[in-house]
Amino acid sequence: MSSQIEAGPAVETAGPAPAQGPARSRSRIRKRIEIAAFAGPALLVYVTFVFVPVVLAAYYSFFNWNGIGPLNRFIGIENYTRALSDPVFHNAIKNNFVIVGLSLLIQGPLALAIALLLNRRIRGRGVVRLLIFVPYVLSEVIAGLAWRLILQPHGPFDSLLERLGLEGLRQQWLADPKVALWVVFGVLTWKYLGLAIILLLAGLQGVPDELMEAAAIDGANWWQIQTRVTIPLLGPTIRIWAFLSIIGSLQLFDMVWILTQGGPLNSTHTMASYMVLYGLNRSQVGYGSAVAVILFVISLTVALLYQRFALRRDLAGALTSRTT
Amino acid sequence: MTAATLTQNETRQVPKRRHKPFTWSQPLVYLIALVVVSVTIAPVLYVILGGFRSNRAITEAPAALPDPWIWSNYRNVITSERFWGQVLTSSVTAIGTTFVVVALGVSVAFVIARYDFKGRQAMYSLFAAGLLFPLTIAVLPLWIMLQQLGLLGSVWGLIIPQAAFALPTTVIILTPFLRAVPVELEEAAAIDGASKVGFFWRILLPLSGPGLVTVGVLAFVGSWNAYLLPLFVLAAGGVPVEQFTLPLGVQQFSTQYSSDTAGVLAFTSLAMIPALIFFLALERRIVSGLQGAVKG
């Protein structure tokens, strides 16, 4: 990796005054060795296991390949045309964006409302904070399995509805193509709403009480204080949460794989579950790679657009230095 | 308000307020808190309590409390080699990932933060760009690659790629930490005869403790909960179930014993207990880490 590291300017900004003559060149060599020794291993691991596979995915995507035999059946962009003309994959892309949209429109406002209501000194606030964080720390697999058992036909959820006199609402929760995606979204909401609330509560601590008091003295009611003072000041937190949520929704895999495996009738596939289905279960590594590239291009476009239009202010300076 | 001020404010002590008069909005807030907490906790409680019931009781009354309490489901799990094997694999993988990513991350962040050389900005951008490459995209070629390296089915096949994919966040969180240590301190150390490397070991590392804990916890959480990579490396790598990680193992158990609902519930709840204890203890660290991760 040493080719990436070049000699720096002669003057070090952070360090002892530059020495003269041979001592100086010796210290420059020493500096280069130090840089190579400290940065080398990380660069090696990072380039090998992150960049090379991503590049390989792009390469494999032009082949008809099962992952084992020789990589010699070059088929051009056929994998891409196949994916882009498969109605199941269309539906998978649509599902990803449905989850993105529902997350922003339902989880966001819901979390905001709860956070605003909880943002006051109440007894047991610490316990509440801790308990609503529980679903987030469970793995998606464990959360998904728990919900699969809860939602099974004649399971506890159905029996709860029955007791509440709502048996008319009973569904084949995970077996009906019309409701399965909504159920997946519901479980995701259960799992990630707590995180959103916690992030927003943390952001709310950055809104000074004095501002709200000043607004109250000026005659603003609770609603006006929230919409005119608090929420605008929460902007950065909300935009960061939304970014997390969008990227997470586009990469969604674990929960879908556990709850439905993309079924029933392919109604709940996401791009990632479609990729694993073909790439792993059906050994079509070339085709799966093409799907991965499409997933990457879509995520990258969305991320860049989002950064361009929403996150720019928050990130300005953050990429260069956060300490200033 | 800039994003950078968020963490500072989060740790800021909120001054104590004087007692407020009673208002009717207060009971409403408690009610909402109660509803939110119940909906959040009910599924978890169902799993834990369900493990104390018999399959027949669960079929007859799916949403009832244990009566009588049956310990055999939990006893079966706790005495099974499979469960402890999976706890061991998950622990080794998570600890290994944490150690590797912290060691690699702090070294490279040290170079980026404290050395002046051409290509420093490029190096930082290289790592920052990694945020745009999630594991999902790379997993198929990675799987082939690990196969060729002979790492399929081994914990190293999990540790090294997981560490590699955790590096971007780690570097982005740690670089400002290391940069924040004043130059004067480094000069003083140099006058006292410490080399730059000595400065790193004796002064920089101890001072960046909180940052190291944050990135360590994030890496640990990510590894402990991971499913996609273990699915490729362990399940598709033909490893016996005793060497699965817990998420993979729980999923496999529930498929294998799908008719034994009580057993599955007991296995699932025991699998979530270590994570719950560990993560709830470190909740604040995780939250501040997540905020930092996105800000970078």
Side-chain angles (χ1 to χ4, degrees), chain A residues 205-268:
Chain A
Q205 298 201 347
V207 179
D209 288 342
E210 293 76 25
L211 273 181
M212 301 183 205
E213 279 161 14
I217 289 167
D218 287 347
N221 60 31
W222 185 86
W223 180 250
Q224 286 169 324
I225 293 174
Q226 304 307 321
T227 53
R228 306 270 173 83
V229 180
T230 315
I231 296 177
L233 285 172
L234 269 182
T237 312
I238 295 172
R239 284 191 289 269
I240 281 167
W241 166 79
F243 186 68
L244 269 184
S245 175
I246 293 171
I247 294 301
S249 305
L250 288 176
Q251 310 286 342
L252 181 62
F253 169 75
D254 296 8
M255 190 61 91
V256 168
W257 203 246
I258 295 297
L259 283 177
T260 64
Q261 293 245 325
L265 300 172
N266 295 321
S267 61
T268 58

Side-chain angles (χ1 to χ4, degrees), chain A residues 78-119:
Chain A
E78 209 176 286
N79 283 327
Y80 290 94
T81 51
R82 178 183 157 200
L84 293 174
S85 59
D86 180 357
V88 175
F89 187 56
H90 290 173
N91 195 51
I93 298 177
K94 196 196 83 194
N95 286 343
N96 277 115
F97 280 98
V98 167
I99 300 278
V100 169
L102 290 176
S103 304
L104 295 181
L105 293 175
I106 295 177
Q107 288 175 7
L110 194 60
L112 188 59
I114 295 170
L116 289 175
L117 285 169
L118 291 182
N119 184 38

